[in-house]
Amino acid sequence: MLSGAVLDVAPALLGMRLRTAFGGDVPEVVLDEVEAYAGADDPASHAYRGRTPRNGSMFGPAGTLYVYRSYGLHWCANIVTGPEGLPHAGLLRGGRPSRGEGIMAARRSRTTELADGPGKLTQALGIDGSLDGTSVVDGPVRLLPATGERGAVHTTVRIGITKAADLPWRFVARR
DNA sequence: ACGAGGATGCTCT
DNA sequence: GAGCATCCTCGTC
C-alpha cells in the first residue's frame, strides 16, 4: 500500500490520516494535498543529483519519513515510496484537522488554517528534523488508513518550484 | 482579494 | 555565496 510508483502512491495518500503522539497529545489530520517527487528522474527533487547528507533518508524503504528545513524557518515532511535505494517520495502539503485541534491551535498560535500548507502541517503536528528517517508504520509519526469517503482528486502542477514546474504532480482532495 | 516583501538557516557549488 | 519543495503581515484596491 505504501510502496509502489510514486505517481500512484502520492495520490493514494489522500484521505489517509497522519497522527503524532508525544507528551499525551494526539493531533491528527486527514491528508488532502500531496506532491510527487521522483528522484533522479525529477529536476525538482532534492535527490536529483544523488545522495547527500541531507537527503539520505529518501533512500530508505517505503514508509520512511524525510524531513527537511525549508527557507530557514519551516519543516517539510515527505513519505518515501521506495523501494530502498530509490529516492522517490510524496511531499505532505496539507491536511484537514480531524483530532486534537486544541494542541494544533496552540502550536500554530491561531484557530484557523491549522494545516493547509507544508510548513503549517508539520508545525501543527509537532514534526521537526529530529523525526527525519523514522518510520510512519511503527514510529512516532503514524500513517493510518482513511476512515471516510475521499472527495475527487484534482491534479495540478507543483507549487513553489522553478525546475520541472510544468509536471502535473500535485494531487488535491479538498472541497 | 491580492501582491510585495521580510524573516531566517542550511545545503551544496 | 546563491538559492531555496514557506509563511505571515501589511499595504493597496
Side-chain angles (χ1 to χ4, degrees):
Chain A
M1 170 153 72
L2 261 183
S3 61
V6 67
L7 289 180
D8 295 330
V9 176
L13 293 173
L14 299 173
M16 296 182 74
R17 295 168 294 147
L18 193 72
R19 172 191 292 182
T20 56
F22 340 106
D25 297 305
V26 187
E28 175 187 282
V29 302
V30 174
L31 296 174
D32 63 8
E33 182 180 349
V34 176
E35 285 176 355
Y37 285 86
D41 300 320
D42 181 0
S45 169
H46 289 168
Y48 182 56
R49 292 188 162 77
R51 187 167 188 151
T52 68
R54 174 176 65 160
N55 66 25
S57 60
M58 265 205 279
F59 290 76
T64 300
L65 204 60
Y66 166 48
V67 182
Y68 70 93
R69 204 192 268 288
S70 172
Y71 290 92
L73 300 160
H74 312 287
W75 297 103
C76 291
N78 297 244
I79 293 178
V80 175
T81 59
E84 198 161 353
L86 185 72
H88 290 196
L91 168 66
L92 308 179
R93 284 196 58 91
R96 184 175 63 255
S98 52
R99 177 173 165 177
E101 286 196 44
I103 183 64
M104 288 195 268
R107 286 205 180 103
R108 293 270 302 126
S109 301
R110 63 185 58 232
T111 57
T112 60
E113 295 159 352
L114 294 178
D116 60 337
K120 303 180 200 179
L121 182 148
T122 55
Q123 186 182 25
L125 291 175
I127 294 172
D128 65 19
S130 68
L131 297 165
D132 180 48
T134 61
S135 169
V136 297
V137 178
D138 57 11
V141 183
R142 299 269 173 122
L143 188 67
L144 304 168
T147 51
E149 282 300 311
R150 181 183 72 209
V153 176
H154 198 228
T155 302
T156 78
V157 295
R158 295 175 292 183
I159 303 292
I161 57 171
T162 55
K163 289 167 284 192
D166 54 327
L167 297 176
W169 287 1
R170 172 173 175 256
F171 307 98
V172 185
R174 201 174 275 159
R175 36 186 134 171

